[in-house]
């Protein structure tokens, strides 16, 4: 039998134990009696647990207790958490690697969803990001960082929405987090199961699926004010509608305005960096019976900023001097379809197809490069890819099981740039890279002894690339043809169950990225593929406990060959292999629940990275740290939730995050310091029934930290650019379910 639920409050419900021989339907009815929940039969093998509709509760004259909802992120995973990002439904306690799983409940969606990926990064010391602007940032996991700039190189982190790949050769799409169920982050290279572009790890967002047989809707909104800045707000709505007895549709729409807080003293403009986001997500689920499911859906999102996010040291606080505005925009479109089947013996089949279109535009003030004449420099990026995958897996006891699959990716990535006054039609200013990637993979986990399990996996990948140069006249010139390349990626792991709640593991896995061609102001350059191998050892303890201490620790060591990097200095953008390096990381996370409702958490990530074998021209950068990776990142949090009656609850949460010093890039032009600041947050929420009101304050101490030492490529060598923390911001929010 399969029994599932989308109700986050069910984890706090307590029932009396059940004994006897009866049908599954009768057993569920007895367990859920007077709990405010009921079991709905989907088909012969499947039940779904829902809240009792309001009308039925009133007719029965019973009041459903409202269990407290803990809004903190992350929340402690329970024993039955399953790491679906492993593609094998492995229980968290049995997964042989470092993984983070967090619930994104209603409270998180209401308070943090408009912040997108930043809301997740703020909770995880081992995840960092650049701060170029919404839709233009690069994510890094566990210190695997190539550069601070956006070019034709592939991301080091694979990003997914469920089983659907979100990006290939493009930065973080920065999707808003409304109506998301949870997020899973697999640390370390994941080349065996995910292929190219997963050197640092995988970030997987799991949206809430359509619920069959149930009408549901909700909305959330808020207004925000920035100290010494402007005002903003956000609004979102969701509806879940049954289509029939075996189908449902779920729709989400949202819009947000981010207040500006940077002034331009040369143009006499205030709060120039105002930002905006708008979009929606839709999904249709059909369950025809027999364990089959069909999913079809899509995403549309636009992001934009009126100006750059950076300030300058020589100007007054939170201001800069530019001759013209530097706006940016991002458009993201995704469509997908999937089909799956589950058997009672643990066998599962999944197949999906996704199509993605991405457009990014950015303008820079190039007056300095033009000798004082007002001039703009435009950077355009277009990406289209098709991703198809099919896999068959079986999950067994203790985390054992196997998976086999095949994957096909067809990607076209175009990057171009131009000065606004240059009208010469035959000057080459960009490149289009075409990638065709086919792969087959397999992995198996098996018992060696009663408590020791082994995992072996491999992936065979076949890649073909071609490149065309792009001129002002939109002509494309056949430039470079690369024959098909085959690559083999092995992986291995051991996991030992020390106690029912404690697991230790050893793991080896690798990853790679394909090469390509880039065009910058210095001409055409070709960059080679890079590869990474990582060993790690770790322990996870306390899993499955409802109270007490839980945590994890891991030590990792990576060797990175032919590192691809997008380098941006006063001479412009160029892409190259900067040499080989190493990354050593030590991480730990603890969570303590001394009493019901109180949660104390802490996490620490220490990183030591360096360029050990620099490429020609970078000899003076030997042992330079890799970019955007602080040596120390730490976070502490507290959350307390209590109920005054069956319908009313209060929650208080606070956090502090320290980000140590890091460097903008490798080489003397980019050896610019950033970081060394503390970011704090505090909030309270009061909920009664299906309505909640919240008050949140971010950057409580009003810290003036430098997140990112870059804003404009034509002035970066001066070393005076900073991307400041957003000043103290207050947000008042409201959410409701109908």
């Amino acid at each position: 039998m399969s029994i599932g639920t989308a109700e986050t409050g069910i984890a706090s419900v307590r029932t009396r134990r059940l004994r006897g021989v009866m049908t599954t339907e009768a057993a569920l009815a007895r367990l859920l009696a007077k709990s405010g929940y009921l079991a709905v039969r989907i088909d012969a093998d499947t039940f779904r647990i829902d809240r009792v509709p309001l009308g039925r509760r009133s007719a029965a004259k019973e009041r459903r207790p409202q269990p407290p909802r803990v809004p903190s992120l992350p929340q402690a995973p329970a024993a039955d958490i399953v790491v679906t990002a492993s593609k094998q439904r492995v229980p968290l306690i049995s997964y042989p690697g470092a993984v983070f799983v967090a619930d994104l409940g209603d409270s998180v969606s209401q308070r943090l969803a408009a912040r997108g990926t930043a809301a997740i990064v703020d909770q995880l010391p081992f995840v960092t990001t650049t701060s170029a602007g919404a839709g233009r940032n690069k994510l890094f996991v566990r210190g695997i960082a190539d550069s601070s700039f956006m070019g034709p190189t592939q991301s080091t982190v694979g990003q997914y929405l469920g089983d659907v790949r979100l990006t290939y050769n493009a930065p973080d799409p920065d999707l808003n987090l409304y109506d998301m169920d949870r997020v899973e982050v697999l640390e370390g290279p994941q080349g065996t199961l995910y292929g190219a572009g997963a050197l640092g790890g995988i970030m997987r967002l799991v949206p809430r699926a359509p619920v069959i047989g149930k009408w549901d809707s909700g909305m959330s909104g808020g207004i925000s004010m920035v100290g010494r800045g402007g005002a903003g707000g956000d609004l979102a709505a969701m509806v879940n509608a049954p289509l029939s007895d075996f189908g449902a549709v779920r729709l989400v729409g949202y819009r947000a305005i981010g207040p500006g807080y940077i002034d331009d003293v040369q143009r006499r403009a205030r709060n120039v960096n105002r930002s905006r986001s708008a979009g929606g997500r839709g999904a249709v689920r059909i369950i025809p019976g027999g364990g089959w499911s069909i999913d079809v859906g899509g995403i549309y999102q636009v992001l934009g900023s009126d100006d750059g996010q950076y300030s300058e040291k020589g100007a007054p606080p939170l201001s800069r001097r530019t001759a013209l505005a530097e706006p940016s925009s991002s458009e993201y479109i995704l469509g997908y379809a999937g089909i799956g089947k589950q058997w009672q013996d643990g066998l599962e089949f999944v197949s999906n197809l996704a199509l993605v279109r991405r457009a990014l535009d950015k303008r820079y003030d190039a007056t300095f490069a033009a000798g004082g004449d007002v001039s703009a420099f435009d950077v355009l990026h277009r990406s289209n890819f098709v991703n198809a995958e099919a896999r068959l897996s079986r999950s067994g006891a203790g985390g054992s099981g196997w998976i086999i699959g095949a994957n096909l990716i067809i990607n076209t990535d175009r990057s171009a740039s131009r000065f606004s006054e240059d009208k010469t039609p035959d000057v080459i200013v960009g490149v289009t890279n075409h990638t065709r990637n086919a792969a087959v993979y397999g992995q198996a986990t098996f018992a060696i002894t009663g408590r020791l399990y082994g995992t072996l996996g491999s992936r065979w990948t076949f890649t073909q690339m071609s490149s065309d140069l792009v001129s002002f006249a939109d002509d494309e010139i056949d430039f470079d043809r690369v024959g098909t390349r085959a690559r083999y990626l092995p992986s291995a792991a051991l996991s030992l169950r020390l106690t029912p709640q404690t697991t230790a593991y050893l793991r080896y896995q690798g990853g790679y990225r394909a090469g390509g061609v880039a065009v910058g102001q210095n001409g055409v350059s070709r960059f080679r593929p890079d590869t990474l191998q990582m060993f790690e050892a770790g322990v996870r303890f306390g899993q499955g406990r409802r109270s007490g201490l839980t945590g994890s620790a891991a030590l990792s060591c990576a060797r990175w060959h032919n590192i691809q990097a997008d380098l941006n200095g006063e001479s412009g953008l160029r892409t190259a292999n900067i040499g080989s390096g190493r990354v050593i990381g030590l991480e730990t996370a603890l969570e303590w629940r001394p009493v019901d409702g109180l949660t104390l958490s802490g996490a620490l990530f220490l990183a030591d990275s360096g360029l050990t074998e620099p490429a020609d021209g970078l000899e003076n950068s030997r042992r330079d740290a890799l970019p955007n990776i602080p040596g120390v990142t730490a976070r502490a949090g507290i959350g307390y939730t209590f109920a005054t009656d069956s319908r009313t609850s209060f929650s208080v949460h606070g956090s502090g995050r320290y980000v140590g010093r890091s460097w903008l890039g490798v080489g003397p032009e980019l050896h610019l310091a950033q970081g060394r600041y503390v970011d704090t947050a505090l909030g309270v929420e009061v909920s009664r029934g299906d309505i909640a009101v919240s008050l949140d304050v971010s950057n409580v101490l009003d810290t003036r930290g430098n997140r990112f030492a870059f804003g404009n490529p034509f002035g970066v060598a001066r070393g005076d650019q900073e991307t400041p923390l957003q000043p103290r911001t207050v947000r008042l929010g409201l959410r409701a379910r109908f």
Side-chain angles (χ1 to χ4, degrees):
M1 309 297 294
S2 295
I3 303 172
T5 184
E7 304 293 345
T8 57
I10 195 70
S12 300
V13 173
R14 296 291 180 268
T15 68
R16 301 185 64 178
R17 68 176 162 185
L18 188 67
R19 290 188 178 184
V21 179
M22 65 198 76
T23 65
T24 306
E25 189 168 16
L28 289 172
R30 291 176 61 176
L31 285 171
L32 296 172
K34 298 182 180 181
S35 68
Y37 297 87
L38 79 166
V40 179
R41 179 183 288 274
I42 304 302
D43 56 35
D45 304 322
T46 309
F47 285 88
R48 184 186 68 250
I49 297 177
D50 292 339
R51 288 184 295 178
V52 176
L54 183 61
R56 292 184 56 176
R57 281 181 278 168
S58 300
K61 296 182 179 181
E62 60 183 24
R63 298 177 66 87
R64 171 175 59 87
Q66 286 287 327
R69 297 176 181 175
V70 181
S72 60
L73 171 65
Q75 296 180 5
D80 56 353
I81 289 293
V82 174
V83 185
T84 54
S86 67
K87 298 187 178 184
Q88 290 181 261
R89 297 186 177 274
V90 178
L92 179 60
I93 188 64
S94 302
Y95 181 74
V99 59
F100 169 86
V101 181
D103 180 23
L104 300 179
D106 290 337
S107 180
V108 173
S109 293
Q110 188 261 352
R111 296 184 294 108
L112 303 176
R115 298 188 59 208
T117 306
I120 300 173
V121 173
D122 285 349
Q123 314 301 317
L124 308 177
F126 57 83
V127 179
T128 58
T129 179
T130 61
S131 297
R136 299 186 294 118
N137 292 322
K138 299 177 73 171
L139 282 176
F140 308 120
V141 173
R142 196 181 263 179
I144 307 302
D146 52 2
S147 73
S148 298
F149 313 106
M150 185 186 72
T153 56
Q154 191 175 2
S155 171
T156 62
V157 178
Q159 293 179 261
Y160 287 77
L161 181 80
D163 290 316
V164 178
R165 187 164 189 159
L166 293 173
T167 62
Y168 191 75
N169 276 51
D172 172 28
D174 202 15
L175 297 180
N176 286 14
L177 302 178
Y178 293 107
D179 204 43
M180 291 289 179
D181 184 54
R182 67 184 183 278
V183 60
E184 300 176 2
V185 180
L186 302 186
E187 300 180 53
Q190 307 292 327
T192 296
L193 296 182
Y194 288 95
L199 298 180
I202 293 294
M203 179 177 289
R204 182 174 183 263
L205 298 173
V206 182
R208 291 182 176 175
V211 180
I212 298 174
K214 177 183 179 181
W215 281 93
D216 191 15
S217 61
M219 64 166 293
S220 66
I223 55 174
S224 55
M225 296 289 296
V226 175
R228 298 177 302 280
D234 56 271
L235 182 66
M238 178 278 298
V239 61
N240 185 98
L243 297 178
S244 63
D245 292 338
F246 52 86
V249 60
R250 196 174 186 98
L251 302 174
V252 181
Y254 50 85
R255 180 174 175 79
I257 301 295
Y261 50 89
I262 302 291
D263 299 335
D264 194 300
V265 296
Q266 181 172 338
R267 293 183 283 125
R268 297 181 180 179
R270 289 182 53 81
N271 306 327
V272 296
N273 63 321
R274 195 170 188 235
S275 62
R276 59 199 174 276
S277 64
R281 190 174 71 247
V284 176
R285 168 161 290 184
I286 299 174
I287 302 181
W292 288 95
S293 63
I294 302 172
D295 291 280
V296 179
I299 296 174
Y300 178 77
Q301 178 173 280
V302 290
L303 304 172
S305 179
D306 296 337
D307 213 327
Q309 306 291 317
Y310 68 99
S311 62
E312 293 175 340
K313 294 179 181 179
L318 298 176
S319 67
R320 67 171 184 271
R321 296 180 176 90
T322 56
L324 49 81
E326 300 179 341
S328 64
S329 63
S330 168
E331 182 183 54
Y332 184 87
I333 304 173
L334 164 69
Y336 66 89
I339 184 171
K341 178 177 173 60
Q342 293 185 12
W343 286 265
Q344 295 185 13
D345 60 358
L347 192 66
E348 181 179 21
F349 170 76
V350 175
S351 179
N352 59 75
L353 173 68
L355 295 87
V356 175
R357 178 179 176 82
R358 186 83 185 273
L360 295 170
D361 296 331
K362 173 62 183 176
R363 168 163 287 193
Y364 295 105
D365 178 12
T367 303
F368 177 81
D373 296 330
V374 176
S375 177
F377 184 73
D378 296 317
V379 178
L380 312 176
H381 184 215
R382 301 292 183 267
S383 178
N384 301 282
F385 80 88
V386 179
N387 181 35
E389 182 175 18
R391 65 179 188 263
L392 185 68
S393 63
R394 184 189 295 276
S395 300
S400 62
W402 53 264
I403 181 173
I404 55 173
N407 176 248
L408 174 66
I409 293 176
I410 302 174
N411 179 77
T412 300
D413 182 80
R414 174 173 174 167
S415 298
S417 59
R418 61 179 293 175
F419 285 96
S420 59
E421 77 278 8
D422 196 335
K423 306 299 182 183
T424 308
D426 58 351
V427 176
I428 296 171
V429 294
V431 63
T432 300
N433 287 318
H434 307 276
T435 305
R436 291 160 290 277
N437 183 291
V440 293
Y441 60 88
Q443 183 171 285
T445 300
F446 48 89
I448 300 176
T449 66
R451 295 188 299 170
L452 181 65
Y453 287 80
T455 300
L456 294 175
S458 59
R459 186 183 188 96
W460 290 267
T461 301
F462 307 89
T463 304
Q464 186 180 64
M465 292 190 63
S466 62
S467 300
D468 306 311
L469 302 187
V470 183
S471 74
F472 277 130
D474 250 2
D475 297 327
E476 295 198 355
I477 306 170
D478 187 11
F479 170 72
D480 186 36
R481 290 283 174 183
V482 179
T484 301
R485 292 186 176 183
R487 187 179 298 274
Y488 169 69
L489 286 175
S491 62
L494 290 172
S495 61
L496 177 63
R497 184 70 66 88
L498 301 174
T499 71
Q501 290 84 31
T502 305
T503 299
Y505 61 86
L506 295 172
R507 178 175 176 264
Y508 163 80
Q509 192 160 180
Y512 79 99
R513 293 184 295 178
V517 172
V519 176
Q521 294 181 45
N522 294 331
V524 178
S525 63
R526 179 184 299 166
F527 52 94
R528 302 187 302 277
D530 57 353
T531 60
L532 183 142
Q533 294 82 36
M534 179 178 287
F535 293 88
E536 69 173 290
V539 62
R540 185 181 300 113
F541 62 90
Q543 302 302 310
R545 296 175 180 171
R546 298 293 180 182
S547 61
L549 185 66
T550 63
S552 63
L555 175 66
S556 60
C557 181
R559 179 68 177 168
W560 198 350
H561 301 274
N562 295 325
I563 301 173
Q564 298 176 10
D566 299 313
L567 305 177
N568 205 340
E570 197 167 11
S571 60
L573 176 68
R574 62 188 177 94
T575 303
N577 298 95
I578 62 174
S580 299
R582 52 108 179 102
V583 181
I584 300 173
L586 174 63
E587 63 188 81
T588 182
L590 298 173
E591 186 170 271
W592 183 36
R593 295 187 175 186
V595 296
D596 289 344
L598 177 62
T599 302
L600 305 174
S601 61
L604 174 70
F605 180 67
L606 305 177
D608 180 45
S609 64
L611 193 64
T612 57
E613 300 174 20
D616 294 343
L618 292 172
E619 290 83 1
N620 293 333
S621 299
R622 185 181 299 274
R623 297 187 178 88
D624 276 4
L626 297 182
N628 275 285
I629 302 301
V632 180
T633 310
R635 183 185 185 277
I638 182 172
Y640 183 58
T641 300
F642 62 95
T644 58
D645 56 47
S646 61
R647 291 176 53 80
T648 307
S649 66
F650 293 80
S651 64
V652 181
H653 50 87
S655 65
R657 183 171 185 257
Y658 172 73
V659 178
R661 185 179 66 177
S662 64
W663 305 97
L664 180 65
V666 173
E669 282 188 339
L670 302 176
H671 196 67
L672 304 173
Q674 55 195 18
R676 282 189 172 177
Y677 61 84
V678 176
D679 193 10
T680 51
L682 184 65
V684 60
E685 182 181 75
V686 181
S687 63
R688 181 167 178 80
D690 290 325
I691 298 177
V693 178
S694 63
L695 180 66
D696 289 272
V697 183
S698 58
N699 195 4
V700 178
L701 302 179
D702 206 20
T703 303
R704 297 287 184 87
N706 178 22
R707 295 180 291 150
F708 194 45
F710 173 79
N712 184 307
F714 301 103
V716 67
R718 297 194 303 264
D720 61 355
Q721 298 178 2
E722 296 181 329
T723 303
L725 280 173
Q726 182 169 307
R728 183 187 297 117
T729 303
V730 179
R731 180 187 181 277
L732 178 65
L734 172 71
R735 64 180 172 90
R737 297 288 293 272
F738 309 105

